[in-house]
């Protein structure tokens, strides 16, 4: 049977190859759909760096991956090591202080002025702090931490990627904190290492945490965040969500705020806290992420390795990871663009 494969000479193959190469080069590179980068990064971090507890080998390798990823985007990215301590309670009633050497990641890009907007997410997974934690399989080496908090890091990295291509008036900083699951020590270390001028130049910190399992997205301001900043950040985010048809709200007034970032709030650093939860189910602290069900018997996935993993969430919340990451990016990207390049720069 006649076949081009049998008669094609090397010259013809070279010619055809050249035509294809020219055609391919002429095609514009299509940017990934919104949320795609966040979904991929979330899955990558959860799959390849489970058990990334502060001070663990997995944490250090994950920090290096995040640092290199941000560096390739063009940011001035660095690892920041620090010592953290936490109280461990034994089954026999004894309590001892344990020390870990944790590593956060900080990446900067200068804008037209020194004032900066910070996007932050912790990447460490829960570090068991008692024999009871270990006996109940909370935290540990197998915890993928998809929801808490590969999801936040994934969105942070997509925002960093897309903002890397846009000149900005204000400077940008992206921070991946460690030791947050050991008593918010990453946030404390971050604040302790900010000079007075740097604190003054921090216009807003957007913190991303646990974006998948909760019933709906919540946007909250810090207790000490001014009404003017809340209007430009929280209220604007909710306005964008309504325009896009995305279900999002703020937690009821008068409830506790700033879990994990109380140190920043106490330092009067303006905050926009983004998470997914369910304040409608009767709990008053936002810790119950969804109604109690067969597959979520406590209404939460936090710290539970048998639930907070890709296989489980893909099975019992099919499509949720991709859709929630997409919704988060669809709201936060236009918000960040507007905040970083305000129309009135005076």
């Amino acid at each position: 049977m006649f076949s081009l494969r049998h008669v094609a000479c090397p010259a013809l193959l070279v010619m055809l190859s050249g035509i294809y190469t020219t055609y391919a080069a002429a095609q514009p590179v299509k940017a990934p759909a919104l949320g795609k980068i966040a979904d991929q990064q979330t899955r990558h971090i959860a799959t390849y760096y489970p058990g990334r507890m502060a001070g663990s080998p997995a944490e250090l390798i994950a920090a290096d991956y995040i640092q290199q990823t941000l560096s390739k985007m063009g940011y001035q990215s660095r690892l920041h090591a620090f010592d953290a301590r936490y109280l461990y309670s034994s089954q026999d009633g004894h309590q001892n202080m344990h020390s870990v050497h944790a590593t956060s990641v900080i990446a900067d890009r200068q804008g037209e002025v020194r004032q900066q907007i910070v996007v932050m997410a912790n990447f460490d997974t829960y570090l068991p702090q008692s024999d009871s934690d270990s006996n109940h399989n909370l935290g540990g080496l197998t915890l993928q931490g998809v929801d808490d908090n590969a999801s936040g890091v994934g969105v942070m990295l997509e925002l960093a990627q897309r903002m890397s291509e846009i000149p900005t008036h204000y400077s940008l900083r992206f921070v991946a904190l460690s030791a947050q699951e050991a008593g918010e020590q990453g946030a404390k270390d971050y604040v302790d290492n900010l000079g007075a001028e740097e604190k003054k130049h921090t216009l807003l910190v957007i913190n991303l945490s646990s974006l998948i399992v909760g019933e709906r997205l919540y946007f909250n301001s810090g207790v000490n965040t001014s009404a003017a900043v809340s209007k430009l950040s929280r209220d604007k985010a909710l306005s964008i969500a309504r325009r896009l048809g995305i279900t999002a709200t703020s937690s009821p007034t008068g409830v506790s705020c700033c879990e994990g970032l109380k140190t920043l709030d106490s330092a009067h650093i303006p905050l926009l806290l983004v998470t997914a939860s369910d304040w409608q189910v009767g709990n008053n602290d936002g810790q119950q992420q969804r109604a109690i069900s067969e597959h979520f018997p406590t209404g939460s996935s936090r710290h539970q390795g048998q639930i907070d993993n890709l296989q489980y969430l893909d099975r019992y919340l099919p499509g949720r990871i991709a859709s929630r990451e997409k919704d988060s990016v669809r709201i936060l990207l236009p918000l960040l663009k507007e905040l970083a390049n305000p129309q009135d720069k005076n």
Side-chain angles (χ1 to χ4, degrees), residues 134-152:
S134 297
N135 293 338
H136 288 88
N137 297 313
L138 299 179
L141 296 173
T142 61
L143 175 59
Q144 287 190 341
V146 178
D147 180 64
D148 186 18
N149 185 36
S151 65

Side-chain angles (χ1 to χ4, degrees), residues 327-344:
D327 285 348
S328 299
V329 172
R330 289 176 70 204
I331 296 169
L332 290 168
L333 183 59
L335 175 69
L336 189 53
K337 286 179 178 178
E338 185 171 320
L339 291 172
N341 281 311
Q343 292 182 352
D344 181 8

Side-chain angles (χ1 to χ4, degrees), residues 80-153:
H80 171 74
F82 62 99
D83 293 318
R85 290 165 57 83
Y86 65 98
L87 188 67
Y88 190 91
S89 301
S90 302
Q91 199 164 353
D92 58 11
H94 288 87
Q95 292 185 320
N96 298 288
M97 292 301 299
H98 287 200
S99 298
V100 294
H101 193 60
T103 305
S104 292
V105 183
I106 301 173
D108 293 296
R109 198 190 76 188
Q110 293 300 310
E112 296 173 0
V113 297
R114 291 178 60 190
Q115 292 165 300
Q116 65 179 0
I117 298 169
V118 180
V119 181
M120 181 178 287
N122 75 289
F123 72 95
D124 60 312
T125 53
Y126 185 68
L127 181 66
Q129 294 167 42
S130 67
D131 287 344
S132 177
D133 281 350
S134 297
N135 293 338
H136 288 88
N137 297 313
L138 299 179
L141 296 173
T142 61
L143 175 59
Q144 287 190 341
V146 178
D147 180 64
D148 186 18
N149 185 36
S151 65
V153 179

Side-chain angles (χ1 to χ4, degrees), residues 33-53:
L34 288 180
K36 187 66 175 178
I37 298 171
D39 180 38
Q40 291 173 340
Q41 291 287 3
T42 296
R43 292 177 180 278
H44 179 89
I45 291 168
T47 299
Y48 291 101
Y49 313 113
R52 47 191 185 278
M53 300 170 287

